mmCIF file of all heavy atoms in Angstrom:
data_model
loop_
_atom_site.group_PDB
_atom_site.id
_atom_site.type_symbol
_atom_site.label_atom_id
_atom_site.label_comp_id
_atom_site.label_asym_id
_atom_site.label_seq_id
_atom_site.Cartn_x
_atom_site.Cartn_y
_atom_site.Cartn_z
ATOM 1 N N GLU A 221 17.600 2.042 53.381
ATOM 2 C CA GLU A 221 16.764 0.876 52.790
ATOM 3 C C GLU A 221 17.538 -0.360 52.670
ATOM 4 O O GLU A 221 18.742 -0.293 52.488
ATOM 5 C CB GLU A 221 16.380 1.429 51.376
ATOM 6 C CG GLU A 221 15.685 2.767 51.393
ATOM 7 C CD GLU A 221 14.413 2.798 52.076
ATOM 8 O OE1 GLU A 221 13.756 1.778 52.263
ATOM 9 O OE2 GLU A 221 14.080 4.040 52.649
ATOM 10 N N PRO A 222 16.797 -1.472 52.891
ATOM 11 C CA PRO A 222 17.536 -2.757 52.911
ATOM 12 C C PRO A 222 18.197 -2.934 51.543
ATOM 13 O O PRO A 222 17.526 -2.832 50.338
ATOM 14 C CB PRO A 222 16.335 -3.733 53.138
ATOM 15 C CG PRO A 222 15.250 -2.977 53.860
ATOM 16 C CD PRO A 222 15.464 -1.538 53.214
ATOM 17 N N ALA A 223 19.414 -3.397 51.458
ATOM 18 C CA ALA A 223 20.133 -3.669 50.275
ATOM 19 C C ALA A 223 19.494 -4.723 49.507
ATOM 20 O O ALA A 223 19.500 -4.733 48.251
ATOM 21 C CB ALA A 223 21.543 -3.989 50.461
ATOM 22 N N ALA A 224 18.897 -5.740 50.145
ATOM 23 C CA ALA A 224 18.293 -6.917 49.491
ATOM 24 C C ALA A 224 17.143 -6.450 48.580
ATOM 25 O O ALA A 224 16.909 -6.824 47.541
ATOM 26 C CB ALA A 224 17.749 -7.849 50.366
ATOM 27 N N LEU A 225 16.276 -5.516 49.096
ATOM 28 C CA LEU A 225 15.118 -5.007 48.311
ATOM 29 C C LEU A 225 15.616 -4.260 47.098
ATOM 30 O O LEU A 225 15.125 -4.310 45.924
ATOM 31 C CB LEU A 225 14.248 -4.037 49.207
ATOM 32 C CG LEU A 225 13.476 -4.771 50.260
ATOM 33 C CD1 LEU A 225 12.740 -3.792 51.110
ATOM 34 C CD2 LEU A 225 12.511 -5.843 49.747
ATOM 35 N N ALA A 226 16.643 -3.330 47.372
ATOM 36 C CA ALA A 226 17.259 -2.574 46.175
ATOM 37 C C ALA A 226 17.888 -3.505 45.124
ATOM 38 O O ALA A 226 17.750 -3.279 43.947
ATOM 39 C CB ALA A 226 18.263 -1.598 46.706
ATOM 40 N N GLY A 227 18.488 -4.706 45.700
ATOM 41 C CA GLY A 227 19.061 -5.753 44.703
ATOM 42 C C GLY A 227 17.989 -6.264 43.963
ATOM 43 O O GLY A 227 18.206 -6.588 42.669
ATOM 44 N N VAL A 228 16.863 -6.613 44.474
ATOM 45 C CA VAL A 228 15.706 -7.177 43.558
ATOM 46 C C VAL A 228 15.304 -6.203 42.644
ATOM 47 O O VAL A 228 15.080 -6.462 41.547
ATOM 48 C CB VAL A 228 14.580 -7.653 44.477
ATOM 49 C CG1 VAL A 228 13.373 -8.024 43.692
ATOM 50 C CG2 VAL A 228 15.064 -8.769 45.487
ATOM 51 N N ALA A 229 15.083 -4.947 42.953
ATOM 52 C CA ALA A 229 14.734 -3.874 42.028
ATOM 53 C C ALA A 229 15.657 -3.696 40.965
ATOM 54 O O ALA A 229 15.348 -3.597 39.764
ATOM 55 C CB ALA A 229 14.535 -2.457 42.811
ATOM 56 N N ALA A 230 16.993 -3.743 41.263
ATOM 57 C CA ALA A 230 18.002 -3.707 40.211
ATOM 58 C C ALA A 230 17.948 -4.829 39.260
ATOM 59 O O ALA A 230 18.207 -4.694 37.952
ATOM 60 C CB ALA A 230 19.448 -3.614 40.904
ATOM 61 N N ALA A 231 17.701 -6.015 39.804
ATOM 62 C CA ALA A 231 17.641 -7.224 38.961
ATOM 63 C C ALA A 231 16.455 -7.116 37.999
ATOM 64 O O ALA A 231 16.594 -7.433 36.774
ATOM 65 C CB ALA A 231 17.471 -8.418 39.836
ATOM 66 N N LEU A 232 15.290 -6.666 38.478
ATOM 67 C CA LEU A 232 14.084 -6.522 37.653
ATOM 68 C C LEU A 232 14.448 -5.405 36.551
ATOM 69 O O LEU A 232 14.075 -5.557 35.282
ATOM 70 C CB LEU A 232 12.981 -6.125 38.427
ATOM 71 C CG LEU A 232 12.396 -7.108 39.415
ATOM 72 C CD1 LEU A 232 11.337 -6.418 40.298
ATOM 73 C CD2 LEU A 232 11.633 -8.218 38.622
#
Side-chain angles (χ1 to χ4, degrees):
E221 305 299 333
L225 292 179
V228 172
L232 291 169

